[in-house]
Amino acid sequence: MLGSRRSRRRLTTALAGLGLFVTGAALQVTTTAAPAHAATTNRVLFDDGHAEEAGNADWIISTSKPDPLSQDSTPSAETDWTGALSSWGVALQKTGSYSLKTATSALTYGGSSTTDLSNFDTLVLPEPNTLFTTAEKTAIMTFVQNGGGLFMISDHTGADRNSDGEDAVEILNDLMTNNSVDSTDPFGFSVDTLDISSGYPAAISDSTNEVLNGAFGTVTKSLIADGTTATLKPADNANVKGLVYRSGYSGNTGAFFATSTFGSGRVAFWGDSSPIDDGTGQSGNTLYDGWNDTGATNAALALNATAWLAGDGTSGGGGGGGGTTCTASQLLGNNGFESGNTTWSATSGVITNSSSEAARTGSYKAWLDGYGTATTDTLSQSVSIPSDCTTAALSFYLHIDTAETSTSTAYDTLKVQVLNSSGTVLSTLATYSNLNAASGYTQRSFSLASYAGQTVTLKFTGVEGSTLQTSFVVDDTALNVS
């Protein structure tokens, strides 16, 4: 629209200040992620920062944290490390292809700590018993979206081991439905509010499935000893797949073990913690040896799934800090802004459904500046590009209108820039101004292929002078990699 911009209602963006991180093979960037790891090393982080040891639970690979090797650098038996998950950890360690750590504090992504998610390929959540914070949920979901593997292990409803009013069922559902990245059933399943006392759920017949038929063995059955299942919703995510089912169930109900994808990452769900319990742990805990249960193949299921999530010997998965494989996908979350103030970080009111400026599609768009007063608006979001991607195409549609009359002076500008995680500008992709005003939207495209395997910040910054408005309206963004 032309003329001074009327007052528009500003919407508060919950994620202000996070920045947009892009990983790609198109630019040479300094990042906070760990250096590229050897192809044979899969980096796995086990969470122990959410009451995983409360009550009788002992869901740790070792009492030595963060590094289990400090307890025993060459473990050969489950008792060489102390914890009910020590069998899991020792089995991975003995292959020589895994680097294992334990997180005991808040989960972060893009930070500087040694247990920051950008340093790992897979995150294991072994029956968390406290809710994840808003920042943690953003970190976890962004990690997966950018290529990380997420292993979620639940227990039955009511298994509130620390008596804080929350159990793993509620906590995992909250992660999936109440986060700033994508709360619209991103993985295509929900955890059922059930307490199933016992059973041996059976694996489906699928000889090509890498989780059921992997390097660690063939999965035939698992074990329920007070657990739950998941309800699948393939209409929300076509990649969700049930692999092991409660007796009498199939299809979209009664899935005891399921897998899915999100962005460039992979997800696995298990409905009970008993199958990963090896019966050994710290003194005073009442444990159950489901790992070695002869009626099931729980060890093979846990280990194959870990390998699949990390992308070990497969064509996808892994790479939370800049992956080593590329799956063709669109990486930006809420790319058309229709989910409102989620995923993106923006100045108050930038993401809006105001009718004063039309969206290209849908109702929402990002509207920077347009006040006719000295204003600076910003828009940004986090994302990473796997290192094997040879194509990384950033695109967005831009509409500019202005009340400026000059045909030679750029009074108001919009810069599209790439920054590193410290906020240093690495490249200015383009600068638009009131001189570029035109009717309708125009698609703008840039190659980010040289950023592959890295994490950077993509940022829109609109700066408006003290008189005569210029509106920069962005819609239908995309970052397509292949």
Side-chain angles (χ1 to χ4, degrees), residues 36 103 159 200 226 265 360 387 399 429 434-435 439 456:
Y200 284 95
D226 286 315
R360 179 178 176 271
S387 61
H399 167 59
L429 301 177
N434 50 281
L435 301 178
S439 61
V456 298

Side-chain angles (χ1 to χ4, degrees), residues 47-48 50-61 63 65 82-85 126-129 154-155 159-162 168 273-274 276-288:
D47 181 48
D48 187 33
H50 298 85
E52 280 91 350
E53 296 179 69
N56 284 324
D58 194 47
W59 310 137
I60 57 174
I61 57 174
T63 52
K65 309 164 196 174
T82 305
L85 306 187
E127 195 194 333
N129 250 254
S154 185
D155 202 353
D160 180 8
R161 300 180 184 274
N162 61 341
S273 54
S274 294
I276 57 170
D277 186 345
D278 64 20
T280 68
Q282 299 174 84
S283 176
N285 290 318
T286 303
L287 301 173
Y288 179 90

Side-chain angles (χ1 to χ4, degrees), residues 27 416-420 424-430 451 457-458:
L27 303 170
V416 185
Q417 296 176 310
V418 178
L419 292 73
N420 66 16
T424 301
V425 176
L426 302 170
S427 175
T428 298
L429 301 177
Y451 289 100
T457 301
L458 176 67

Side-chain angles (χ1 to χ4, degrees), residues 413-416 428-433 436:
T413 60
L414 175 73
K415 290 185 177 181
V416 185
T428 298
L429 301 177
T431 300
Y432 306 102
S433 73
N436 302 115

Side-chain angles (χ1 to χ4, degrees), residues 44-47 61 66-69 99-103 114-115 120:
V44 182
L45 182 67
F46 287 81
D47 181 48
I61 57 174
D67 191 353
L69 296 179
S99 173
L100 312 177
K101 295 292 188 294
T102 300
T114 57
T115 56
F120 296 90

Side-chain angles (χ1 to χ4, degrees), residues 31 40 70 101 105 151 162 179 236 249 388 443:
T31 76
T40 58
S70 295
K101 295 292 188 294
S105 56
F151 205 150
N162 61 341
N179 68 79
D236 294 337
Y249 291 80
D388 278 4
Q443 187 177 37

Side-chain angles (χ1 to χ4, degrees), residues 176-187:
M176 295 185 287
T177 63
N178 184 28
N179 68 79
S180 64
V181 177
D182 188 338
S183 293
T184 59
D185 192 24
F187 305 154

Side-chain angles (χ1 to χ4, degrees), residues 209-220 297 299-301 303-304:
N209 187 275
E210 296 169 273
V211 175
L212 299 180
N213 301 275
F216 294 96
T218 299
V219 177
T220 56
T297 48
L301 182 53
L303 296 168
N304 285 344

